Amino acid sequence: MPTCLPLVRRRCNACASERFRASGKFRVNAHHKLIDAWLLALCTTCGETAKLTVLERMKVRSIRPELLDRLHGNDPGLTAELLQDPVVRRRNHVALDWTGAWRLDTGGPEHLDREVIDVSVRFTARIPVRPVRLIAEGCGLSRAEVERLITEGKVVSAVRLSGRLSGDFTFMLKR
């Protein structure tokens, strides 16, 4: 589950840093019957402001009133939703850095002494995580140990455990 907003990976024009922190503030600008909206992000090094386009030259009547209220109210939930929206990320040519922005809830260590553990992993947000790292943290093992267990067939899953996942999956650990 997320613990804070991820950093936005984008090059800063002022200092060449590549990390921005979403400020949670929006700028909304109207041009007669058209509206623009941006999510403001601050460079983690120099504090320079970058605008991430949310709406561009949209007719005001085509936008849901709830969305406009959330933009004008600087809704923090909307900030989180928009950062995870692939359309917004693609439009602004940005990626997210989830390092240190999530935590793993395992429900306690009582399951670790069993011979076979059947695990279902659920994501409360679409956070791309390496399953090997998740299994290692959740079971108190090293990543090398988890990779060895995968090659030996003692960790099995219907999904590929190498690479990154951001959707729910299950696996079985045999000791």
Side-chain angles (χ1 to χ4, degrees), residues 41-57:
L42 304 172
C43 177
T44 57
T45 305
C46 69
E48 181 75 17
T49 302
K51 297 187 298 188
L52 304 177
T53 303
V54 176
L55 301 173
E56 190 170 37
R57 301 288 181 190

Side-chain angles (χ1 to χ4, degrees), residues 128-158:
V129 178
R130 296 187 186 281
V132 171
R133 180 176 177 205
L134 205 67
I135 294 167
E137 284 188 29
C139 297
L141 303 169
S142 69
R143 288 194 302 228
E145 177 74 11
V146 172
E147 288 174 358
R148 184 182 62 75
L149 291 171
I150 290 171
T151 56
E152 290 176 359
K154 293 186 176 185
V155 174
V156 287
S157 177

Side-chain angles (χ1 to χ4, degrees), residues 82-123:
L82 291 173
L83 283 177
Q84 293 182 30
D85 185 354
V87 174
V88 172
R89 290 196 320 257
R90 193 172 29 256
R91 176 188 293 150
N92 291 287
H93 306 289
V94 297
L96 299 180
D97 182 1
W98 284 97
T99 306
W102 61 273
R103 72 182 160 104
L104 177 65
D105 289 334
T106 61
E110 63 273 355
H111 65 281
L112 296 177
D113 57 351
R114 296 188 196 150
E115 197 63 32
V116 176
I117 304 171
D118 228 352
V119 179
S120 175
V121 179
R122 291 185 332 247
F123 289 84

